[in-house]
Amino acid sequence: MRIGSLDSLRGIAALIVVASHMRLMFPETPAWIKYSPLRVLIAGESAVTVFFILSGLVLYLALTSRDGGSYWSFAAKRFLRIYPPFCVAILISAALWYLVNPAGPMLDVGNWANEYSWHLRPIWSVVLAHLAMTDVQAWQSLDNVMWSLVIELRLSLIFPVIAVAVKRDWRVAMALGALISAACFYIERSFSPDWLFNPFQTGKYLYLFVVGAVLAENSSQIIKVSQALSGRARLGLWCAALIPFSVNPIHFGGIPTAVGSALLVALSFADVKVRDALTASVPLWLGKISYSLYLIHVPILIAAAHLLNTTIPMIYIVALAAIIALCASEIFYRTVERPSINFGRTMAERLLPRRRLVPA
């Protein structure tokens, strides 16, 4: 099941991530952004929180629909939706590294560009380490947004358990999800296990997927409540969502940010006027290319910065990189992402007899 307004919300969230990385190319955030409502436009980490909640909602709807199949068909479809495009993006980033051949750290740029991107030469062992999707930060430098894809894929593959729990009693599932995430956060922060595959790093975000599933389970009631509210009340809810959303998440995935993100997701499918606006052609296009844009914008941005940093001002570099990234995302979607989606659907059809994982 696809909900157009939520696809568009994912596209807008991806654009916010791009804007946040453009901002990180500069040493400081301008005061007119940092201390104004415009800071919502660079809340990249908060946008990732929206991604996780949206995934929980959409996966729950898929599993509880009439088309819900076996676990292996679900897992194959999800794996092929995420992993092959990710692999291609890593290889593109490695190829760009060799084409650009960065000489070293760039001058007069933000720390993010030098410390978290392209600081390892992408020899085969480094590329393979990236493709293994570990939790080692150094092995995420070719495309540092991949940290969220590691979490996304892992939690997606265990999501049927979450869906069954929410279907049985969403209140108990919400409490258990929060408890598990809190425990994972405490263990990771207190003991900092230096593992290649760290379940606590992943587990601390589990509650966001549960939140998404709970929103899906109660979607009809949420829509009824929204329809009964006055325009002023809905405007107040949007403000109540955007204010905590604009705050950078800290600890435990950012509880205030999670609340704001959950409200944004709920309002995006429950507020009729906003839902209609989100199903316009441009937001829907952004939603269509959102995963491709998320995957390839960092390599393009870093490559442009290394090539042009001493030639033109950074403001022009990031603007040019953003335009290239949007165009390249459409190409990437058509040539990589869409074929991967279609292949996933084909494999899902072939794997095991269809049987509902989650009862209706």
Side-chain angles (χ1 to χ4, degrees), residues 4 63 79 107 124 142 155 159 169 179 184 216 233 278 286 330:
L63 285 171
F79 177 82
L107 300 177
W124 276 112
L142 283 174
L155 290 179
F159 188 81
D169 192 324
L179 183 63
C184 289
L278 287 174
L286 281 174
E330 175 68 25

Side-chain angles (χ1 to χ4, degrees), residues 337-352:
E337 185 183 350
R338 187 167 62 188
S340 183
I341 293 172
N342 292 337
F343 182 55
R345 289 172 180 165
T346 301
M347 292 303 297
E349 291 288 337
R350 294 179 179 178
L351 283 172
L352 301 180

Side-chain angles (χ1 to χ4, degrees), residues 294-360:
Y294 190 71
L295 282 172
I296 66 172
H297 77 275
V298 170
I300 290 172
L301 181 59
I302 299 299
H306 277 286
L307 278 173
L308 302 172
N309 188 36
T310 59
T311 307
I312 60 176
M314 184 58 69
I315 187 67
Y316 298 125
I317 295 173
V318 298
L320 177 62
I323 294 170
I324 294 173
L326 284 168
C327 297
S329 296
E330 175 68 25
I331 298 171
F332 192 92
Y333 172 78
R334 294 187 182 190
T335 59
V336 178
E337 185 183 350
R338 187 167 62 188
S340 183
I341 293 172
N342 292 337
F343 182 55
R345 289 172 180 165
T346 301
M347 292 303 297
E349 291 288 337
R350 294 179 179 178
L351 283 172
L352 301 180
R354 296 181 85 56
R355 179 174 59 83
R356 281 193 184 184
L357 281 168
V358 182

Side-chain angles (χ1 to χ4, degrees), residues 17-268:
V17 172
V18 174
S20 72
H21 289 149
M22 291 169 65
R23 206 291 307 156
L24 289 174
M25 296 302 295
F26 300 91
E28 297 290 339
T29 303
W32 58 274
I33 294 178
K34 189 175 183 179
Y35 300 109
S36 78
L38 291 175
R39 67 177 291 124
V40 73
L41 301 178
I42 58 168
E45 293 180 69
S46 302
V48 175
T49 302
V50 169
F51 290 149
F52 290 156
I53 294 174
L54 282 173
S55 291
L57 189 154
V58 172
L59 291 177
Y60 185 83
L61 291 178
L63 285 171
T64 55
S65 70
R66 292 181 179 181
D67 295 330
S70 68
Y71 172 76
W72 293 112
S73 63
F74 165 81
K77 187 176 181 179
R78 193 62 181 164
F79 177 82
L80 292 170
R81 174 73 179 87
I82 295 173
Y83 191 70
F86 158 75
C87 290
V88 175
I90 292 297
L91 295 176
I92 288 174
S93 184
L96 284 174
W97 193 101
Y98 282 106
L99 285 172
V100 172
N101 193 20
M106 294 176 285
L107 300 177
D108 300 322
V109 300
N111 291 335
W112 171 81
N114 285 324
E115 295 179 4
Y116 299 104
S117 297
W118 280 23
H119 58 275
L120 290 179
R121 186 179 184 86
I123 59 176
W124 276 112
S125 60
V126 171
V127 172
L128 291 175
H130 279 70
L131 297 181
M133 280 191 156
T134 71
D135 291 297
V136 179
Q137 191 177 73
W139 292 342
Q140 297 178 352
S141 64
L142 283 174
D143 196 353
N144 52 44
V145 300
M146 67 173 282
W147 73 269
S148 66
L149 302 180
V150 172
I151 293 165
E152 179 85 34
L153 184 56
R154 292 175 186 172
L155 290 179
S156 292
L157 294 179
I158 66 166
F159 188 81
V161 176
I162 296 173
V164 170
V166 170
K167 194 67 179 178
R168 288 182 178 177
D169 192 324
W170 66 265
R171 296 173 183 84
V172 172
M174 189 69 251
L176 285 174
L179 183 63
I180 292 170
S181 290
C184 289
F185 167 74
Y186 173 78
I187 293 170
E188 199 222 358
R189 185 179 183 187
S190 300
F191 303 102
S192 300
D194 187 18
W195 299 345
L196 289 178
F197 301 96
N198 183 355
F200 306 112
Q201 169 65 21
T202 298
K204 68 182 184 181
Y205 295 99
L206 180 141
Y207 79 105
L208 296 172
F209 281 71
V210 179
V211 168
V214 169
L215 290 178
E217 174 65 16
N218 295 282
S219 58
S220 58
Q221 292 91 331
I222 292 171
I223 291 172
K224 288 179 182 178
V225 170
S226 176
Q227 290 175 342
L229 295 175
S230 66
R232 288 185 178 180
R234 289 197 301 273
L235 179 60
L237 283 176
W238 276 103
C239 292
L242 289 170
I243 291 171
F245 174 84
S246 67
V247 178
N248 288 332
I250 55 170
H251 309 312
F252 191 34
I255 294 299
T257 303
V259 172
S261 298
L263 264 175
L264 283 178
V265 172
L267 289 167
S268 294

